[in-house]
Amino acid sequence: TQVLRKSLQRGVVLSTGSFLVYEAHKLISGHAEVHASFKVEDVIEQADYLYGSGETEKLYRLLVQHKNSDDAELLWRLARSSRDLAQLGSTSAEEKKKLTYDSLEYAKKALEKNESNFAAHKWYGICLSDVGDYEGIKTKIGNAIIIKEHFQRAIELNPKDATTIHLIGIWCYSFAEMPWYQRKIAATLFATPPTSTFQEALRYFHMAEEADPNFYSKNLLFLGKTYLKLNNKKMALLWLSKAKDYPAQTEEDKQV
């Protein structure tokens, strides 16, 4: 239960195998069309079970049937699911690109349906950043302020979401260590280019840890990395040791 809760909070797929509930199996096996009588709450419950079980492909097949839904809760989950499918090693480069753009559209639609949904803001920011990988560094930097604004809005709507706080920390870290040529690009795009510091990044990583202690191996890693950037080897060792000893539940945990 604890592992499932953590995975749902941070948006990371569990790599451990598990079984499917009968209702979820009925929905995803051989039903190409969704009947009008389905209940959104039931689909969400089944989707969250599949997500926590690491059933990435089955989850996508369940949710993509609802791509024309007007429900923001379904749509942001579809955005996340599309992104997760794109990240699988078995997904071809062509399909990965399509899924990446699809995920942004689903997140955008979720926002249009409910601007007050914190997860829609969170996943719009994540998916917009992903699309930037295909459109070049100029677009990626140009979208940076929009991405941060959506993360900040997500935190306003849900101040306890540690993952979004962590993502702002990553944003700050990225700008703090931005190489000179990217800073030059940023200067051409903005009258006042976005900047940050490692101290600011550190503050967000600590805020994320305070919101939900030990919630994410990558937050522990970046606490260590940021302390290294600030030449505090004692604190860096503390947090890097925590990251090393973190129970590896996902591929990302193992990489950390």
PDB file of all heavy atoms in Angstrom, residues 10 26 41 48 62 70 86 121 145 174-175 177 184 186 229 234:
ATOM      1  N   ARG A  10       4.085  10.553  -7.005  1.00  0.00           N
ATOM      2  CA  ARG A  10       5.219  11.150  -7.696  1.00  0.00           C
ATOM      3  C   ARG A  10       5.173  10.995  -9.200  1.00  0.00           C
ATOM      4  O   ARG A  10       5.973  11.589  -9.913  1.00  0.00           O
ATOM      5  CB  ARG A  10       6.529  10.586  -7.142  1.00  0.00           C
ATOM      6  CG  ARG A  10       6.819   9.157  -7.550  1.00  0.00           C
ATOM      7  CD  ARG A  10       7.979   8.614  -6.728  1.00  0.00           C
ATOM      8  NE  ARG A  10       8.546   7.435  -7.364  1.00  0.00           N
ATOM      9  CZ  ARG A  10       9.421   6.642  -6.775  1.00  0.00           C
ATOM     10  NH1 ARG A  10       9.821   6.898  -5.564  1.00  0.00           N
ATOM     11  NH2 ARG A  10       9.910   5.589  -7.410  1.00  0.00           N
ATOM     12  N   LYS A  26     -11.889  -6.736 -17.858  1.00  0.00           N
ATOM     13  CA  LYS A  26     -13.065  -6.696 -18.737  1.00  0.00           C
ATOM     14  C   LYS A  26     -13.038  -5.455 -19.617  1.00  0.00           C
ATOM     15  O   LYS A  26     -13.390  -5.494 -20.787  1.00  0.00           O
ATOM     16  CB  LYS A  26     -14.343  -6.699 -17.902  1.00  0.00           C
ATOM     17  CG  LYS A  26     -14.718  -8.070 -17.335  1.00  0.00           C
ATOM     18  CD  LYS A  26     -16.149  -8.085 -16.849  1.00  0.00           C
ATOM     19  CE  LYS A  26     -16.340  -7.104 -15.730  1.00  0.00           C
ATOM     20  NZ  LYS A  26     -17.704  -7.158 -15.166  1.00  0.00           N
ATOM     21  N   GLU A  41     -15.834   7.477 -12.379  1.00  0.00           N
ATOM     22  CA  GLU A  41     -15.179   7.075 -11.134  1.00  0.00           C
ATOM     23  C   GLU A  41     -14.628   5.653 -11.234  1.00  0.00           C
ATOM     24  O   GLU A  41     -13.543   5.366 -10.720  1.00  0.00           O
ATOM     25  CB  GLU A  41     -16.163   7.157  -9.963  1.00  0.00           C
ATOM     26  CG  GLU A  41     -16.652   8.563  -9.641  1.00  0.00           C
ATOM     27  CD  GLU A  41     -17.788   9.022 -10.562  1.00  0.00           C
ATOM     28  OE1 GLU A  41     -18.233   8.208 -11.413  1.00  0.00           O
ATOM     29  OE2 GLU A  41     -18.205  10.183 -10.434  1.00  0.00           O
ATOM     30  N   ASP A  48      -6.028   3.893 -11.854  1.00  0.00           N
ATOM     31  CA  ASP A  48      -5.063   4.075 -10.772  1.00  0.00           C
ATOM     32  C   ASP A  48      -4.501   2.735 -10.299  1.00  0.00           C
ATOM     33  O   ASP A  48      -3.321   2.650  -9.916  1.00  0.00           O
ATOM     34  CB  ASP A  48      -5.705   4.837  -9.609  1.00  0.00           C
ATOM     35  CG  ASP A  48      -5.932   6.310  -9.923  1.00  0.00           C
ATOM     36  OD1 ASP A  48      -5.377   6.790 -10.935  1.00  0.00           O
ATOM     37  OD2 ASP A  48      -6.657   6.981  -9.159  1.00  0.00           O
ATOM     38  N   LEU A  62      -6.704   1.251 -21.854  1.00  0.00           N
ATOM     39  CA  LEU A  62      -7.917   1.590 -21.119  1.00  0.00           C
ATOM     40  C   LEU A  62      -8.281   3.057 -21.316  1.00  0.00           C
ATOM     41  O   LEU A  62      -9.419   3.402 -21.654  1.00  0.00           O
ATOM     42  CB  LEU A  62      -7.727   1.290 -19.630  1.00  0.00           C
ATOM     43  CG  LEU A  62      -8.786   1.871 -18.676  1.00  0.00           C
ATOM     44  CD1 LEU A  62     -10.141   1.208 -18.920  1.00  0.00           C
ATOM     45  CD2 LEU A  62      -8.352   1.693 -17.225  1.00  0.00           C
ATOM     46  N   ASP A  70     -14.793  14.672 -21.656  1.00  0.00           N
ATOM     47  CA  ASP A  70     -14.760  16.049 -21.158  1.00  0.00           C
ATOM     48  C   ASP A  70     -14.315  16.103 -19.697  1.00  0.00           C
ATOM     49  O   ASP A  70     -14.381  17.157 -19.066  1.00  0.00           O
ATOM     50  CB  ASP A  70     -16.155  16.689 -21.273  1.00  0.00           C
ATOM     51  CG  ASP A  70     -16.540  16.961 -22.710  1.00  0.00           C
ATOM     52  OD1 ASP A  70     -15.630  17.183 -23.538  1.00  0.00           O
ATOM     53  OD2 ASP A  70     -17.740  16.921 -23.015  1.00  0.00           O
ATOM     54  N   ALA A  86       5.483   6.336 -24.039  1.00  0.00           N
ATOM     55  CA  ALA A  86       6.549   6.873 -24.887  1.00  0.00           C
ATOM     56  C   ALA A  86       7.934   6.587 -24.310  1.00  0.00           C
ATOM     57  O   ALA A  86       8.907   6.420 -25.045  1.00  0.00           O
ATOM     58  CB  ALA A  86       6.363   8.382 -25.065  1.00  0.00           C
ATOM     59  N   HIS A 121      -2.323  21.055 -14.635  1.00  0.00           N
ATOM     60  CA  HIS A 121      -1.230  22.025 -14.751  1.00  0.00           C
ATOM     61  C   HIS A 121       0.126  21.326 -14.680  1.00  0.00           C
ATOM     62  O   HIS A 121       1.041  21.625 -15.459  1.00  0.00           O
ATOM     63  CB  HIS A 121      -1.323  23.068 -13.635  1.00  0.00           C
ATOM     64  CG  HIS A 121      -2.392  24.085 -13.855  1.00  0.00           C
ATOM     65  ND1 HIS A 121      -2.224  25.168 -14.698  1.00  0.00           N
ATOM     66  CD2 HIS A 121      -3.645  24.190 -13.358  1.00  0.00           C
ATOM     67  CE1 HIS A 121      -3.321  25.901 -14.700  1.00  0.00           C
ATOM     68  NE2 HIS A 121      -4.206  25.329 -13.903  1.00  0.00           N
ATOM     69  N   ILE A 145       9.406  29.641 -19.104  1.00  0.00           N
ATOM     70  CA  ILE A 145       8.609  30.445 -18.171  1.00  0.00           C
ATOM     71  C   ILE A 145       7.185  29.904 -18.088  1.00  0.00           C
ATOM     72  O   ILE A 145       6.599  29.840 -16.997  1.00  0.00           O
ATOM     73  CB  ILE A 145       8.617  31.928 -18.591  1.00  0.00           C
ATOM     74  CG1 ILE A 145      10.005  32.524 -18.347  1.00  0.00           C
ATOM     75  CG2 ILE A 145       7.557  32.722 -17.831  1.00  0.00           C
ATOM     76  CD1 ILE A 145      10.143  33.978 -18.755  1.00  0.00           C
ATOM     77  N   SER A 174      18.354  23.510 -13.463  1.00  0.00           N
ATOM     78  CA  SER A 174      18.694  23.544 -14.888  1.00  0.00           C
ATOM     79  C   SER A 174      19.153  24.929 -15.323  1.00  0.00           C
ATOM     80  O   SER A 174      20.128  25.065 -16.079  1.00  0.00           O
ATOM     81  CB  SER A 174      17.498  23.098 -15.737  1.00  0.00           C
ATOM     82  OG  SER A 174      17.119  21.779 -15.416  1.00  0.00           O
ATOM     83  N   PHE A 175      18.461  25.957 -14.839  1.00  0.00           N
ATOM     84  CA  PHE A 175      18.859  27.315 -15.209  1.00  0.00           C
ATOM     85  C   PHE A 175      20.126  27.758 -14.480  1.00  0.00           C
ATOM     86  O   PHE A 175      20.915  28.530 -15.012  1.00  0.00           O
ATOM     87  CB  PHE A 175      17.715  28.303 -14.969  1.00  0.00           C
ATOM     88  CG  PHE A 175      16.792  28.410 -16.146  1.00  0.00           C
ATOM     89  CD1 PHE A 175      15.665  27.615 -16.241  1.00  0.00           C
ATOM     90  CD2 PHE A 175      17.074  29.273 -17.188  1.00  0.00           C
ATOM     91  CE1 PHE A 175      14.820  27.692 -17.346  1.00  0.00           C
ATOM     92  CE2 PHE A 175      16.251  29.363 -18.306  1.00  0.00           C
ATOM     93  CZ  PHE A 175      15.115  28.560 -18.388  1.00  0.00           C
ATOM     94  N   GLU A 177      22.682  25.875 -13.840  1.00  0.00           N
ATOM     95  CA  GLU A 177      23.859  25.280 -14.479  1.00  0.00           C
ATOM     96  C   GLU A 177      23.831  25.432 -16.011  1.00  0.00           C
ATOM     97  O   GLU A 177      24.609  24.797 -16.717  1.00  0.00           O
ATOM     98  CB  GLU A 177      23.992  23.800 -14.100  1.00  0.00           C
ATOM     99  CG  GLU A 177      23.002  22.861 -14.719  1.00  0.00           C
ATOM    100  CD  GLU A 177      23.428  21.394 -14.600  1.00  0.00           C
ATOM    101  OE1 GLU A 177      24.486  21.117 -14.015  1.00  0.00           O
ATOM    102  OE2 GLU A 177      22.675  20.540 -15.111  1.00  0.00           O
ATOM    103  N   LYS A 184      22.909  32.679 -23.912  1.00  0.00           N
ATOM    104  CA  LYS A 184      22.882  33.631 -25.029  1.00  0.00           C
ATOM    105  C   LYS A 184      21.560  33.517 -25.792  1.00  0.00           C
ATOM    106  O   LYS A 184      20.961  34.527 -26.183  1.00  0.00           O
ATOM    107  CB  LYS A 184      24.069  33.367 -25.958  1.00  0.00           C
ATOM    108  CG  LYS A 184      24.364  34.504 -26.924  1.00  0.00           C
ATOM    109  CD  LYS A 184      25.703  34.292 -27.611  1.00  0.00           C
ATOM    110  CE  LYS A 184      26.006  35.469 -28.531  1.00  0.00           C
ATOM    111  NZ  LYS A 184      27.325  35.316 -29.203  1.00  0.00           N
ATOM    112  N   ALA A 186      18.729  32.437 -24.490  1.00  0.00           N
ATOM    113  CA  ALA A 186      17.708  32.976 -23.592  1.00  0.00           C
ATOM    114  C   ALA A 186      17.668  34.493 -23.657  1.00  0.00           C
ATOM    115  O   ALA A 186      16.595  35.119 -23.613  1.00  0.00           O
ATOM    116  CB  ALA A 186      17.974  32.511 -22.162  1.00  0.00           C
ATOM    117  N   LYS A 229      27.331  21.246  -5.827  1.00  0.00           N
ATOM    118  CA  LYS A 229      27.502  22.500  -6.578  1.00  0.00           C
ATOM    119  C   LYS A 229      27.837  23.657  -5.635  1.00  0.00           C
ATOM    120  O   LYS A 229      28.519  24.611  -6.021  1.00  0.00           O
ATOM    121  CB  LYS A 229      26.228  22.830  -7.361  1.00  0.00           C
ATOM    122  CG  LYS A 229      25.916  21.870  -8.495  1.00  0.00           C
ATOM    123  CD  LYS A 229      26.864  22.062  -9.666  1.00  0.00           C
ATOM    124  CE  LYS A 229      26.427  21.238 -10.867  1.00  0.00           C
ATOM    125  NZ  LYS A 229      27.352  21.419 -12.025  1.00  0.00           N
ATOM    126  N   LYS A 234      29.986  17.598   2.962  1.00  0.00           N
ATOM    127  CA  LYS A 234      29.422  16.859   4.084  1.00  0.00           C
ATOM    128  C   LYS A 234      27.926  16.612   3.877  1.00  0.00           C
ATOM    129  O   LYS A 234      27.442  15.481   4.027  1.00  0.00           O
ATOM    130  CB  LYS A 234      29.649  17.633   5.387  1.00  0.00           C
ATOM    131  CG  LYS A 234      29.136  16.910   6.624  1.00  0.00           C
ATOM    132  CD  LYS A 234      29.423  17.706   7.890  1.00  0.00           C
ATOM    133  CE  LYS A 234      28.881  16.986   9.123  1.00  0.00           C
ATOM    134  NZ  LYS A 234      29.142  17.759  10.369  1.00  0.00           N
TER     135      LYS A 234
END
